[in-house]
């Protein structure tokens, strides 16, 4: 049809542009035909100029591998890694999930399963978990469910002095796990209970709030930290921008590695700086303000009801009578202290979260912010489980 001639020309031009484009490929992701593969030879004493016999792709003979099954490419290697005949991958994976949930792995040196690492503390348990991973068809959610619903994980974490002395790291699993969460989890949990956490997935890294210490970057203000706005401000810690030369301060304080080297097992320290972060860092102050608004708007009529709701949000349980009384007492004392200081009350309730709802009492919101700040700093809030 003559009327479609311009469209046909445009289509032809676009097709030619597409044909002219050279495909962008990463050679490491492409399998070459055997005839095109390079010849690889043994280098005597590591000298690339002193070559010996030709070698072929394969698995070291020390590992279990049926003789009839040759590994000649990456797909074959991947299949071998997860095959039932190779228990090593499943053992490492089972140990890491155990470490995440119980604080210390069955093999404490989760980054080293070789001769320089620690032997398994419960070798039969590790072997069984490895076979369960294979039986579950590598379903990690099913593995986590198996671990968290086990009698071992669901025990009380209370420990006597005698137990702590005899088994400080709970290697015998005589009690439930109790250890501080990771840096990212602490921040994410504070945002989650306050209702601020963004559950958006994927995308570029973001810059959450951090303390303003009045310093400029050494190479100009162009690389200074500019706090993200909108939903990005509250994205999970996984998406936080990370610079090795200038790591995110609050996470570094809670032992997040600087990423200069690969760190498979994090250490856990206990320092006064950590309490100063959760009390004063703008992320946690903002979370306390949002938690206060939830307690006021959703928690009921009386102060005791609001305090109980806040504790349920943070700890997943109702407060004991003495705990409810102390939280109510804290609220009343905060109201008494803030009533003569309305400007300070407004600042405490709104900076950095933003303006209060119309008609709100700043003293009430500031007082519940104080309570929320305490709840976010409870030992039980920062620990697993």
């Amino acid at each position: 049809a003559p009327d479609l001639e311009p469209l046909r020309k445009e289509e032809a031009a676009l097709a030619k542009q597409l044909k002219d484009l050279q495909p962008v490929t990463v050679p490491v992701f492409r399998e070459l035909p055997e005839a095109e593969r390079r010849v690889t030879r043994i280098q005597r004493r590591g000298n690339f100029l002193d070559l010996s016999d030709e070698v072929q792709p394969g698995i070291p003979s020390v590992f279990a591998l049926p003789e009839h099954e040759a590994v000649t490419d990456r797909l074959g290697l991947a299949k071998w890694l997860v095959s039932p005949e190779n228990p090593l991958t499943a053992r490492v994976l089972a140990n890491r999930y155990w470490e995440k949930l119980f604080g210390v792995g069955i093999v404490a040196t989760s980054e080293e399963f070789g001769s320089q690492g620690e032997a398994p503390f419960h070798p039969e348990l590790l072997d069984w978990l490895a076979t369960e991973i294979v039986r579950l068809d590598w379903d990690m959610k099913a593995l986590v469910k198996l671990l968290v619903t086990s009698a071992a994980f669901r025990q009380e974490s209370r420990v006597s002095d005698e137990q702590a002395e005899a088994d400080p790291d709970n290697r015998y699993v005589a009690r439930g796990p109790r250890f501080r969460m990771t840096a990212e989890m602490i921040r994410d949990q504070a945002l989650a209970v306050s209702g601020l956490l963004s559950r958006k997935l994927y995308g570029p890294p973001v810059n959450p709030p951090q303390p303003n210490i009045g310093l400029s970057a050494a190479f100009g203000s162009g690389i200074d930290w500019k706090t993200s706005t909108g939903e990005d401000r509250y994205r999970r810690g996984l998406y936080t921008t990370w610079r090795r030369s200038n790591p995110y301060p609050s996470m570094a304080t809670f032992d997040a590695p600087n990423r200069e080297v690969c760190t498979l097992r994090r250490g856990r320290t206990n320092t006064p700086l950590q309490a100063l972060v959760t009390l004063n860092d703008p992320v946690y102050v903002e979370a306390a303000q949002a938690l206060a608004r939830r307690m006021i708007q959703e928690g009921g009529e009386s102060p005791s009801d609001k305090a109980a709701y806040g504790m349920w949000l943070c700890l997943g349980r109702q407060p004991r009578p003495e705990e409810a009384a102390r939280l109510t007492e804290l609220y009343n004392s905060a109201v008494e202290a803030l009533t003569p200081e309305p400007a300070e009350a407004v600042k405490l309730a709104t900076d950095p979260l933003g303006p209060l709802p119309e008609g709100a009492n700043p003293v009430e919101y500031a007082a519940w912010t104080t309570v929320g700040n305490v709840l976010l700093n409870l030992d039980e809030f920062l620990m697993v489980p």
Side-chain angles (χ1 to χ4, degrees):
D3 293 345
L4 299 178
E5 183 63 23
L7 290 177
R8 284 196 292 271
K9 290 182 178 179
E10 183 179 357
E11 181 187 17
L14 291 173
K16 184 178 184 303
Q17 290 181 29
L18 187 62
K19 185 178 179 179
D20 292 341
L21 287 174
Q22 294 296 326
V24 179
T25 59
V26 181
V28 73
F29 293 148
R30 182 165 56 94
E31 294 291 355
L32 293 173
E34 187 172 353
E36 297 181 24
R37 296 177 187 174
R38 74 176 185 182
V39 175
T40 302
R41 298 183 180 276
I42 296 174
Q43 300 175 2
R44 295 188 181 94
R45 301 179 65 85
N47 185 353
F48 70 96
L49 296 176
D50 188 3
L51 302 179
S52 180
D53 299 334
E54 182 179 346
V55 293
Q56 301 296 331
I59 298 297
S61 58
V62 69
F63 297 126
L65 184 70
E67 293 183 2
H68 66 276
E69 184 181 341
V71 174
T72 59
D73 54 24
R74 282 181 291 274
L75 179 59
L77 176 63
K79 289 180 177 178
W80 172 78
L81 283 173
V82 297
S83 68
E85 290 78 18
N86 172 33
L88 301 178
T89 308
R91 281 164 56 88
V92 171
L93 199 57
N95 189 70
R96 290 192 183 175
Y97 274 84
W98 184 276
E99 179 185 73
K100 293 296 183 185
L101 293 171
F102 286 87
V104 59
I106 299 172
V107 176
T109 54
S110 55
E111 76 284 2
E112 174 58 80
F113 266 59
S115 59
Q116 298 184 44
E118 181 186 285
F121 202 82
H122 302 286
E124 296 86 357
L125 174 60
L126 184 59
D127 289 341
W128 180 78
L129 287 174
T131 61
E132 281 296 286
I133 289 179
V134 176
R135 183 186 69 81
L136 295 169
D137 197 25
W138 299 82
D139 186 342
M140 293 299 103
K141 289 186 177 180
L143 175 66
V144 171
K145 181 178 179 180
L146 172 69
L147 293 176
V148 299
T149 56
S150 66
F153 186 83
R154 295 168 66 187
Q155 298 177 99
E156 274 197 350
S157 59
R158 294 179 183 177
V159 56
S160 65
D161 293 339
E162 294 77 12
Q163 288 176 323
E165 184 176 357
D167 185 20
D169 295 324
N170 196 27
R171 303 303 300 278
Y172 290 100
V173 202
R175 59 185 183 272
R178 186 175 182 275
F179 56 94
R180 198 198 69 230
M181 293 184 294
T182 61
E184 295 87 348
M185 291 171 65
I186 291 174
R187 175 182 174 273
D188 291 354
Q189 181 169 260
L191 293 177
V193 300
S194 65
L196 294 175
L197 182 66
S198 166
R199 302 184 185 275
K200 184 171 70 173
L201 300 177
Y202 316 120
V206 297
N207 298 345
Q210 68 173 352
N212 182 8
I213 56 177
L215 297 178
S216 296
F219 300 102
S221 60
I223 60 173
D224 282 344
W225 191 275
K226 295 180 178 61
T227 301
S228 298
T229 58
E231 187 180 8
D232 286 346
R233 181 185 180 97
Y234 308 113
R235 296 200 69 185
R236 291 183 295 156
L238 173 70
Y239 297 101
T240 299
T241 299
W242 199 270
R243 294 175 183 156
R244 286 176 292 179
S245 59
N246 183 27
Y248 190 59
S250 66
M251 291 185 188
T253 304
F254 280 100
D255 306 311
N258 59 15
R259 306 190 190 184
E260 291 181 359
V261 296
C262 180
T263 304
L264 298 180
R265 177 167 56 108
R266 294 187 185 184
R268 279 190 293 269
T269 61
N270 188 14
T271 72
L273 289 176
Q274 294 162 352
L276 293 175
V277 167
T278 51
L279 283 168
N280 303 305
D281 187 281
V283 167
Y284 296 94
V285 172
E286 189 171 16
Q289 292 167 345
L291 177 60
R293 299 185 188 192
R294 289 195 70 182
M295 288 188 285
I296 292 171
Q297 296 164 8
E298 305 169 14
E301 296 299 327
S302 67
S304 59
D305 289 341
K306 291 179 172 62
Y309 182 67
M311 180 165 278
W312 180 81
L313 285 174
C314 293
L315 306 184
R317 66 173 178 85
Q318 294 296 325
R320 293 184 287 271
E322 62 274 17
E323 292 173 330
R326 293 186 67 180
L327 288 174
T328 305
E329 180 184 353
L330 173 62
Y331 166 73
N332 290 330
S333 63
V335 169
E336 184 179 348
L338 291 166
T339 298
E341 302 287 345
E344 291 299 318
V346 170
K347 183 178 180 181
L348 179 57
T350 61
D351 185 16
L353 183 58
L356 294 172
E358 186 176 352
N361 181 355
V363 171
E364 180 188 13
Y365 277 76
W368 283 115
T369 297
T370 302
V371 175
N373 191 258
V374 169
L375 290 174
L376 296 181
N377 279 271
L378 290 176
D379 187 70
E380 191 175 341
F381 180 76
L382 302 173
M383 296 290 175
V384 174

